[in-house]
Amino acid sequence: MLIIDESNASYDLLIWALENQKDTIESSKVYIFAKQPQNSFTPPTVLSSSVGFAQIFYPFSPNSELIRLAQEKNMKIALGILEKAKKICLNHGIKAETFTNVGDPKDLIRKIIQERNINLIVTSDQQSLKKCTQNTDCSLLVVKKRLRKD
């Protein structure tokens, strides 16, 4: 399973995994997950919505319509991210299952590992996922980005 966001680094990680973990990928299912943020109110008169590092702030008094619009926007962004990832997989001859959900990433990932019997997560961020894989049979493959020397 790969967990992606809108950053180019996520797509680079996906391509790296498809090219360097081909044997593992071909013998198992590939899942790609994009987390949707929970809407938060900070301060009470500002509705914030974020995906990865991108944040949108609505300087209005939050009401149910505004919250619904923010949630729809988050869903569209997450689905667009997953669609791009799915195309990258298809270009490498791999059919991937994509999904998204709202909530705390640690809780979501732990639940996904258990429900879908995930045995490997490929990531570039060890800290946020290390606790999610504790007490499971899921391995964590951390891919470090190489620095180019010019």
Side-chain angles (χ1 to χ4, degrees):
M1 180 171 89
L2 283 102
I3 301 162
I4 63 171
D5 59 24
E6 79 283 358
S7 71
N8 285 334
S10 285
Y11 298 116
D12 291 343
L13 176 66
L14 174 60
I15 292 168
W16 182 91
L18 293 170
E19 292 174 351
N20 293 284
Q21 297 294 310
K22 196 165 184 85
D23 293 338
T24 303
I25 289 171
E26 289 176 343
S27 66
S28 61
K29 265 191 165 173
V30 175
Y31 296 103
I32 302 173
F33 175 72
K35 177 201 151 308
Q36 293 179 54
Q38 293 176 324
N39 291 319
S40 61
F41 300 93
T42 54
T45 58
V46 175
L47 174 66
S48 71
S49 171
S50 66
V51 173
F53 297 112
Q55 290 195 348
I56 303 167
F57 292 95
Y58 303 95
F60 302 105
S61 175
N63 60 37
S64 62
E65 180 65 13
L66 189 57
I67 292 170
R68 186 187 61 74
L69 290 172
Q71 290 170 338
E72 284 178 10
K73 184 75 166 179
N74 290 341
M75 176 64 94
K76 285 180 185 177
I77 292 169
L79 292 175
I81 290 167
L82 291 172
E83 187 60 33
K84 182 176 178 179
K86 208 172 195 177
K87 286 179 184 177
I88 292 170
C89 289
L90 287 174
N91 288 340
H92 284 83
I94 302 294
K95 185 177 180 186
E97 184 177 328
T98 60
F99 55 102
T100 183
N101 207 339
V102 178
D104 178 26
K106 291 175 185 163
D107 294 336
L108 291 172
I109 293 165
R110 197 173 296 117
K111 183 179 175 186
I112 292 164
I113 289 170
Q114 293 169 350
E115 288 177 355
R116 298 183 187 231
N117 296 319
I118 304 295
N119 57 22
L120 176 67
I121 295 179
V122 180
T123 184
S124 60
D125 183 14
Q126 175 181 358
Q127 295 305 317
S128 64
L129 296 176
K130 199 171 188 177
K131 290 181 180 177
C132 298
T133 58
Q134 287 178 346
N135 302 321
T136 69
D137 291 331
C138 185
S139 300
L140 186 62
L141 175 60
V142 180
V143 180
K144 302 277 183 179
K145 186 176 181 178
R146 268 195 245 174
L147 298 174
R148 294 184 192 176
K149 293 185 179 181
D150 295 330

